[in-house]
Amino acid sequence: MIDRQSSVFVAGHKGLVGSAILRRLDSAGFSDVRVVERKDLDLRDQSAVNAWFETERPKYVFLVAGTVGGIMANSTRPADFIYDNLMIHGTVVHASHRVGVEKLIYLGSSCIYPREADQPIIEDSLLSGPLEPTNESYALAKIAGIKLCEGFRRQYGDDFISAMPTNLYGPGDNFDEMNGHVLPSLMRRFHEAKDEQQETVEVWGSGKAKREFLHVDDLADACLFLMDNYSDLEHINVGTGIDHSIKELAENIRDLIYPEAELVFDTSKPDGMPRKVLNVSKLTELGWKAKIPLLEGLSSTYDWFRTATVSYTHLRAHETRHDLVCRLLLEK
């Protein structure tokens, strides 16, 4: 087990994953958790990151910072997704090596795997075929991060490990319709349809694509488990091993929020990969399994969303982006 009294840096502490990591570290009794605001440190700036690490000298690092988004965001902002993520991963990993960080965990994404990878996807599928075009820039940056950690382990013996989570959701997610992932975007769409008594709710794509969904609190628990129990060159998948069609997901969210709504599928929008579910046998054999069922996770996530949007109706007249709502809630 990593030392609960030593200094821990969570890079990206205000995001979906970072905030869950903070909750898990707190519940595990960590007493010296370090964070830094984006306005005070640009993680894309190597000299600034080096200076921060020289001053703080964390012993352990959770590298969960990055630019993320759904199909639309990936398709329209490829330069941002590849540049921001390449720089953030590069600066933090390099600075961690320079100051002698004892252990680092880097989070990739299941989108690193080829579009036509055999399902469920095993770790060895990496770089075995072409990527899904709609998230290629993000995937390339994430693959570079994995190989960077591997490189420092091979060349210098640094204990840097990589985990590949599946599609995530939970408290603190991005519910923006254009930039969010499918689950929170649908949740917001049904919420607004109920408020406005709309008869139909649009779902992007055919609904046939299949995805696996992992609650972010389960991921945070898995990250701490891996920091305590895993030290190897190869990245490791983190997920439930269970997938659902987008149609099934939309029906579950509809039944939770607005059962009266009729689903309308917009087939002019892309489906992305036909299927994406991870083989998690490697992690299961180590002794970890996800604990939060999808329906339970959807319910608790919607409860959080409703709390976060208590003042949403007023805010919407001035600013419709979800990140403002989340910032106001998280700063309370």
Side-chain angles (χ1 to χ4, degrees):
M1 293 176 63
I2 63 174
D3 184 2
R4 269 54 176 166
Q5 307 308 311
S6 292
S7 57
V8 179
F9 174 44
V10 180
H13 71 286
K14 282 200 169 180
L16 171 66
V17 177
S19 56
I21 295 286
L22 290 183
R23 292 193 295 272
R24 185 65 186 93
L25 294 178
D26 180 65
S27 69
F30 282 82
S31 59
D32 187 7
V33 178
R34 316 247 177 120
V35 298
V36 61
E37 300 288 338
R38 184 180 300 179
K39 64 182 176 59
D40 298 321
L41 178 63
D42 183 351
L43 291 177
R44 298 170 299 180
D45 183 337
Q46 185 71 73
S47 61
V49 173
N50 286 347
W52 189 91
F53 268 76
E54 287 286 352
T55 300
E56 299 292 332
R57 293 194 166 268
K59 191 171 183 179
Y60 307 111
V61 173
F62 288 79
L63 177 46
V64 299
T67 296
V68 298
I71 286 180
M72 185 61 68
N74 273 272
S75 300
T76 58
R77 297 168 50 212
D80 291 345
F81 275 79
I82 194 166
Y83 175 79
D84 288 356
N85 288 299
L86 280 173
M87 297 303 292
I88 290 169
H89 306 154
T91 63
V92 175
V93 170
H94 185 261
S96 296
H97 165 72
R98 288 183 76 249
V99 303
V101 164
E102 188 167 313
K103 192 165 189 176
L104 174 147
I105 185 168
Y106 164 76
L107 285 193
S109 166
S110 57
C111 74
I112 63 170
Y113 292 116
R115 174 182 169 85
E116 303 297 335
D118 291 338
Q119 306 285 332
I121 307 172
I122 61 174
E123 285 85 356
D124 287 346
S125 297
L126 183 65
L127 297 177
S128 63
L131 298 168
E132 162 58 38
T134 58
N135 56 31
E136 183 181 63
S137 292
Y138 183 67
L140 286 170
K142 286 295 185 179
I143 293 169
I146 297 168
K147 294 303 179 182
L148 184 65
C149 290
E150 287 183 7
F152 275 96
R153 179 178 281 270
R154 289 180 186 275
Q155 186 171 343
Y156 299 107
D158 292 324
D159 194 4
F160 296 169
I161 62 174
S162 298
M164 297 305 112
T166 190
N167 299 283
L168 301 171
Y169 71 99
D173 211 337
N174 180 2
F175 292 83
D176 185 276
E177 287 191 67
M178 297 301 293
N179 294 305
H181 288 103
V182 60
L183 191 155
S185 296
L186 282 173
M187 195 165 280
R188 174 169 173 176
R189 205 168 295 164
F190 278 102
H191 179 82
E192 292 185 348
K194 181 179 181 180
D195 279 351
E196 297 166 8
Q197 289 297 293
Q198 299 173 4
E199 294 183 357
T200 63
V201 173
E202 182 181 272
V203 181
W204 287 2
S206 68
K208 296 177 182 178
K210 302 188 77 174
R211 294 292 182 269
E212 174 186 15
F213 299 98
L214 179 71
H215 194 283
V216 71
D217 286 342
D218 270 340
L219 173 63
D221 185 64
C223 287
L224 181 55
F225 177 87
L226 290 170
M227 288 288 271
D228 283 337
N229 297 284
Y230 185 72
S231 180
D232 205 347
L233 179 71
E234 187 180 41
H235 64 279
I236 186 166
N237 289 339
V238 182
T240 64
I242 302 169
D243 59 351
H244 306 267
S245 71
I246 299 303
K247 181 176 183 290
E248 180 186 353
L249 174 69
E251 289 172 341
N252 285 332
I253 295 175
R254 177 196 61 189
D255 293 345
L256 173 67
I257 299 173
Y258 187 27
E260 298 81 7
E262 178 186 349
L263 301 181
V264 176
F265 293 91
D266 181 358
T267 56
S268 69
K269 299 292 195 304
D271 277 336
M273 288 178 67
R275 187 186 184 206
K276 187 170 65 173
V277 59
L278 298 181
N279 182 318
V280 294
S281 59
K282 185 175 178 180
L283 182 56
T284 302
E285 289 168 5
L286 286 176
W288 187 90
K289 286 186 177 181
K291 302 176 182 66
I292 304 173
L294 179 62
L295 292 181
E296 178 185 325
L298 290 176
S299 179
S300 62
T301 299
Y302 184 55
D303 287 344
W304 181 91
F305 174 72
R306 286 190 297 177
T307 300
T309 54
V310 168
S311 58
Y312 173 69
T313 303
H314 170 72
L315 288 172
R316 186 167 56 178
H318 307 284
E319 176 58 78
T320 59
R321 290 184 57 81
H322 163 74
D323 52 5
L324 174 61
V325 179
C326 285
R327 178 171 58 79
L328 291 174
L329 180 70
L330 293 172
E331 288 177 354
K332 286 183 179 178

